[in-house]
Amino acid sequence: MSFFYYWDFMSRGPGSSCIVSLFLGRFWFWEDLWVRDGKILDPEKLFFDEQGFADRRVDCGGSIVAPGFIDVQINGGYGVDFSQPTEDVAAGVSLVAKKVLEHGVTSFCPTLVTSPPAVYHQVLPQVQVHDGGPDGAGVLGFHLEGPFISPEKKGAHPERYLRTFRSGGMEDLTEVYGGLDGVAMVTLAPELPHSQSVVRMLCQKGIAVSLGHSVANLSQAEDAVQHGASFITHLFNAMLPFHHRDPGIVGLLTSDRIPAGRTVFYGMIADGIHTNPAALRIAHRAHPAGLVLVTDAIAAMGLHPGRHPLGQQVIEIQGLHAYVSGTKTLSGSIATMDMCVRHLKQASGCSVEEALEAASLHPAQLLGISQKKGNLDYGADADLVLVDDALRVRTTYISGEEVWRRDA
Amino acid sequence: MRLVILDDYDLASEWAAKYIRNRIVEFKPSADRYFTLGLPTGSTPYGCYQKLIEFHRSGDLSFKYVKTFNMDEYVGLPRAHPESYHSYMWNNFFKHIDIDPANAHILDGNAEDLEAECSAYEQKIAAAGGIELFVGGIGPDGHIAFNEPGSSLVSRTRVKTLAKDTIVANARFFGNDLSKVPTMALTVGVGTVMDSKEVMILITGAHKAFALYKAIEEGVNHMWTVSAFQQHPHTIFVCDEDATLELRVKTVKYFKGLMHVHNKLVDPVLSIKDQ
């Protein structure tokens, strides 16, 4: 099945109608999308088994229907910084969760940058994995970016909180993070001693392991993948540059030492600023199936142009750039997910489906949740985003319920 | 017999669809009095279904008070298989119209007891008051539904083993792998279709020309089961030019000469909007 324009989109009760679906076979077609009890329904079964038909029809007005976007790296937004230990972290996460519906994001991983153990111990227990709804996008679990990263590639992470593995056992993790409940992904540098056992342990617990903020060579990166690592955090940024005799982590895109049946995914901040479009194209052409769009958005995302005090700094927003005030130092990304989808399409010349898949199917596959999310197969959660031909978000649905609509 | 000859496939599909539309609209079906329609599958009726969907979308035709009975279904093919006749009918017709699912009948090729399924189907047709209009196609071997050569002309709904010709003809839908084509099917009998008030057979394409010749210019013969309809009081054959290639020039000229009469059946085309 593929999707393109659609007629009607029915929701609630047996049946909904629209043209849809991108991912069932990767073609386009005019189709109807049927939803019941928050899940995508097989209307043929409904018709023949239950002799049921639609209760309600919703006209999608010619929009493209895609699975809701999934952002696996977002540090905050709208003035909220997830890594700031506050009394009510959940409130901050909820605020961002609500606002990102406007960008077509229906699930996300709140991301914490390198922090002292006290912060993890305070923040992690306050937010549980939960489904989205009218109040905001669903939380898939935290993405812990650090502190087990390389001092040489710390980027904006505070050096004093970087850590190494003492033994490679669970204690290293629990000492820093506290518990690992509610954690969906950990970014670490695989060249750190004892990282291999940590990678294996995390993977066994169902936590995705991502390589980033690292000076690993290709061989070290490949070893980590052998042990279960499956993601690269913001490809090109905070790692050794591609070198033709040692491609480093970037070389994973075309490595021949990836275990059969597994895919290495890679995050791209496709805001046109953090990655040169030519570099984006190289990555996309080398390994299109692995491209995962991430915003890596900071607290300044969503704020109006101008100066904003954030944490210990003052940030100045000019267009899509967020600088440390008074300098030309980028302080992070403020692009929204839908902007990234549009930029990917425009810069790479990829198809609409590919651009949409990079924001939905691929992150779902990365997190191992593609039976429920990131596609429009029968039985998947009806988290949807309706976009126009220019890939601007018109309406967002979670579990078949409309949760955001652009004012006409 | 009426032999309605149109220039090409599209025109033939449109004529047939208009005829069905007019019959339904004229009948004024209601909750007390349903219009019962027998339906085929395959590439021939596809254009006709498309047209009927168009008529429904434009608001001129409703299937709310129509009961349908399909002719046949493969045995042992999962219902959700893309080549099952359930899938065909869902994708090409039912999902686009307003028919009540309870009124869309198709034989269940996965029933526990196939014979019981067949008798039950005959009973459902009888309970619905019989078929008002049975639309069918013709196989290259002259079969109606899956009533292969040699089928009794008074047969009822039953299990049939498919002829080699039919299996070969269907292989294209199963990746050209003969081993994947179902070998048995449930089908309405020739007698079942003969019981309906009116029969309309769609025949298009040069590959059906010989079968059409055998069906209408030769005698009634159980080797060409469509020929049975020579003995039905109300049969219409709708075909395109190519399907007439094996007929005598005289036959074709005769019926083409009657087109002005035939066209009165579809012109004016009726609409529920006018009721």
Side-chain angles (χ1 to χ4, degrees), chain B residues 169-229:
Chain B
N170 285 347
R172 66 200 155 115
F173 299 123
F174 293 88
N176 285 317
D177 183 352
L178 289 179
S179 66
K180 293 218 160 66
V181 186
T183 55
M184 296 207 297
L186 302 184
T187 179
V188 295
V190 182
T192 317
V193 183
M194 282 289 286
D195 280 351
S196 47
K197 284 207 27 213
E198 188 173 11
V199 178
M200 180 165 81
I201 308 289
L202 305 179
I203 309 185
T204 55
H207 59 300
K208 300 283 174 82
F210 192 73
L212 177 59
Y213 150 66
K214 281 289 187 184
I216 65 174
E217 286 191 337
E218 297 276 309
V220 173
N221 188 328
H222 67 170
M223 297 310 275
W224 301 89
T225 49
V226 177
S227 63
F229 299 110

Side-chain angles (χ1 to χ4, degrees), chain A residues 91-403:
Chain A
V93 170
S94 295
L95 189 150
V96 173
K98 177 91 179 158
K99 294 301 256 177
V100 294
L101 296 177
E102 297 171 28
H103 314 145
V105 174
T106 53
S107 306
F108 68 106
C109 297
T111 305
L112 300 187
V113 297
T114 297
S115 302
V119 169
Y120 295 113
H121 291 240
Q122 183 177 1
V123 170
L124 258 48
Q126 289 191 51
V127 179
Q128 278 77 48
V129 171
H130 63 264
D131 284 334
D135 294 330
V139 170
L140 298 170
F142 280 99
H143 174 176
L144 304 178
E145 191 187 4
F148 301 102
I149 56 175
S150 164
E152 295 166 61
K153 288 293 176 188
K154 63 183 188 295
H157 292 225
E159 180 154 12
R160 62 192 179 287
Y161 298 128
L162 299 188
R163 303 275 289 231
T164 57
F165 300 115
R166 280 206 276 269
S167 61
M170 189 53 84
E171 325 76 62
D172 281 333
L173 299 175
T174 49
E175 199 213 320
V176 171
Y177 297 135
L180 287 172
D181 290 336
V183 174
M185 177 147 53
V186 171
T187 292
L188 50 79
E191 70 274 19
L192 295 179
H194 306 296
S195 71
Q196 289 162 345
S197 50
V198 173
V199 171
R200 270 200 310 274
M201 243 174 2
L202 288 169
C203 291
Q204 263 155 27
K205 283 179 140 339
I207 297 173
V209 173
S210 184
L211 309 180
H213 288 275
S214 158
V215 293
N217 58 36
L218 178 57
S219 179
Q220 288 164 327
E222 283 167 339
D223 280 343
V225 170
Q226 298 273 329
H227 289 286
S230 54
F231 196 47
I232 301 172
T233 301
H234 45 54
L235 185 76
F236 298 127
N237 301 105
M239 56 188 65
L240 292 176
F242 175 88
H243 184 283
H244 54 288
R245 276 191 294 279
D246 188 348
I249 292 176
V250 178
L252 287 176
L253 266 58
T254 48
S255 163
D256 57 358
R257 284 191 58 214
I258 310 295
R262 283 188 46 206
T263 304
V264 172
F265 294 92
Y266 56 97
M268 298 271 351
I269 307 173
D271 63 351
I273 297 165
H274 283 75
T275 306
N276 185 295
L280 173 62
R281 283 190 287 275
I282 286 177
H284 173 257
R285 286 181 206 174
H287 182 33
L291 204 159
V292 170
L293 289 174
V294 299
T295 58
D296 201 11
I298 56 166
M301 183 268 286
L303 298 178
H304 298 300
R307 303 169 84 237
H308 302 272
L310 284 178
Q312 305 301 316
Q313 296 179 305
V314 180
I315 306 294
E316 182 150 2
I317 296 175
Q318 294 169 17
L320 262 190
H321 292 73
Y323 300 108
V324 177
S325 184
T327 74
K328 280 296 175 191
T329 306
L330 287 174
S331 72
S333 160
I334 54 171
T336 62
M337 183 55 95
D338 57 315
M339 284 181 205
C340 293
V341 171
R342 289 191 291 274
H343 177 82
L344 171 62
K345 168 140 193 342
Q346 178 260 312
S348 70
C350 69
S351 64
V352 170
E353 301 97 287
E354 282 181 284
L356 292 166
E357 280 184 344
S360 55
L361 177 67
H362 294 171
Q365 288 171 329
L366 158 66
L367 294 177
I369 56 175
S370 56
Q371 339 73 278
K372 290 193 325 155
K373 305 274 188 210
N375 63 79
L376 299 172
D377 287 342
Y378 301 138
D381 293 347
D383 294 349
L384 315 164
V385 57
L386 275 53
V387 298
D388 61 24
D389 286 346
L391 304 184
R392 282 180 303 242
V393 178
R394 278 187 178 159
T395 326
T396 308
Y397 288 80
I398 291 184
S399 291
E401 226 188 308
E402 183 181 302
V403 294

Side-chain angles (χ1 to χ4, degrees), chain A residues 7 30-32 34 42-53 57 378, chain B residues 57 79-80 84 86-87 89-91 94-95 97-102 104 106:
Chain A
W7 278 130
W30 287 85
E31 242 322 331
D32 290 344
W34 294 62
D42 179 349
E44 192 175 341
K45 280 189 77 167
L46 172 72
F47 188 87
F48 289 122
D49 280 340
E50 300 177 47
Q51 307 200 322
F53 213 70
R57 302 175 75 97
Y378 301 138
Chain B
R57 287 208 175 123
R79 197 193 62 209
S84 81
H86 280 80
S87 293
M89 291 307 297
W90 167 253
N91 284 310
F94 295 145
K95 79 173 172 197
I97 57 170
D98 60 344
I99 190 168
D100 182 339
I106 309 180

